[in-house]
Amino acid sequence: MSGSVCVAGLGPGPDAWITPEVQAALAAASDVVGYHSYVARLALRPEQRVHGSDNGDELARADQALALAAAGAQVVLISGGDPGVFAMASALFEAIERNPASARSCEVRVLPGVTAMLAAAARLGAPLGNDFCAINLSDNLKPWARIEQRLRLAAQADFVIALYNPASRARPQQIQRAFALLREERAPETLVMFAQAVGRPDEALHVTTLAEARPEQADMRTLLLIGASTTRAIARTGTAGATPWVYTPRWLAP
Ligand code: SAH
């Protein structure tokens, strides 16, 4: 049998957010390649080979998946959330493009998953109900100046903005700079939502305003949403202490 690579997202949290298509691909896999903590949560059969890695080198993992497939394996290359959102699918295609001879012959499929932004939005209500954009705040692979430029233009365009990778221990100052920039461009009452570890046991949601937000609250497991000028909050009645619903209306005034 000829080899294949499926790049599949496990969603941001519970197994219920793994699609049946991804579950079927995992059940059919001979080999599963992925970051250690992702492969660790899978219930695989003993004969399925697991290639967990702790290293952050996505291209190396993609190359490994392609090499296994070239040797005839049915490989699932796993990723958190959706594999196409700041994740493994692009790394796989970079590897394919770099390495055409061996790699282009095997079947490649990308299986969609629930991305963190959608899970966070669902928990909060409907903050992505009008035009929005997603920005990866990590400058591992792009200059910080470009990130600031995109953030400023998105803020000026009044998009709802989803911020992935808002902070890490290695770069605590960048989220502060991002907020300083947002405060220059957007009104102080703009809603800001911190969605931490969505779908996990320690999930925490926090809704505040741009004036009051404490950017240092964001960590690597936080998805940040910055509301548009029309994004609004509705208090939830009857559930003491619950975060309000947040939604962005479908309309925009002319
Ligand atoms: N491919 C992933 C994103 C990878 S980037 C996806 O589609 O979701 C990693 C970033 O995603 C994290 O820094 C965080 O901003 C966000 N993220 C991933 N899982 C999350 C979760 N359960 N809760 C909140 N944010 C999450």
Side-chain angles (χ1 to χ4, degrees):
M1 192 152 66
S2 61
S4 66
V5 180
C6 267
V7 53
L10 298 182
D15 290 352
W17 290 350
I18 302 180
T19 68
E21 185 184 36
V22 169
Q23 307 228 8
L26 284 167
S30 63
D31 292 73
V32 177
V33 177
Y35 196 62
H36 218 59
S37 62
Y38 295 143
V39 290
R41 62 178 273 212
L42 300 173
L44 296 168
R45 299 184 306 277
E47 71 274 18
Q48 293 180 293
R49 287 178 297 271
V50 176
H51 310 266
S53 77
D54 269 335
N55 96 41
D57 186 349
E58 279 104 8
L59 272 181
R61 230 175 293 148
D63 278 338
Q64 183 185 22
L66 288 168
L68 289 163
Q74 309 305 310
V75 182
V76 174
L77 176 57
I78 59 177
S79 158
D82 176 272
V85 178
F86 309 132
M88 280 308 301
S90 290
L92 179 66
F93 289 112
E94 280 174 47
I96 290 172
E97 202 172 27
R98 267 198 335 186
N99 191 1
S102 65
R104 290 193 188 182
S105 59
C106 65
E107 185 198 335
V108 171
R109 287 196 301 150
V110 182
L111 310 183
V114 178
T115 187
M117 170 178 76
L118 300 185
R123 285 291 201 253
L124 289 157
L128 304 179
N130 208 311
D131 302 342
F132 63 87
C133 68
I135 296 178
N136 184 350
L137 273 197
S138 165
D139 65 348
N140 282 349
L141 298 169
K142 57 184 174 179
W144 177 252
R146 294 297 305 277
I147 299 174
E148 281 200 350
Q149 180 191 37
R150 288 185 172 179
L151 195 55
R152 191 176 294 281
L153 292 172
Q156 287 171 359
D158 199 22
F159 284 121
V160 177
I161 305 170
L163 296 178
Y164 283 77
N165 285 307
S168 76
R169 273 186 292 275
R171 42 183 187 85
Q173 73 292 356
Q174 291 177 345
I175 187 72
Q176 302 287 351
R177 287 170 64 182
F179 268 78
L181 182 160
L182 289 167
R183 285 174 175 139
E184 285 170 25
E185 301 292 343
R186 298 284 274 266
E189 61 273 16
T190 300
L191 289 175
V192 171
M193 294 139 268
F194 293 79
Q196 192 173 38
V198 177
R200 302 190 185 268
D202 53 343
E203 171 178 307
L205 302 175
H206 182 57
V207 177
T208 182
T209 61
L210 191 51
E212 297 196 340
R214 290 189 302 108
E216 58 278 8
Q217 260 188 291
D219 62 11
M220 273 177 53
R221 301 161 72 227
T222 304
L223 188 285
L224 255 166
L225 288 170
I226 314 298
S229 58
T230 52
T231 304
R232 58 193 63 208
I234 315 173
R236 294 192 214 197
T237 51
T239 44
T243 51
W245 290 116
V246 177
Y247 86 103
T248 306
R250 294 161 299 150
W251 45 261
L252 271 183

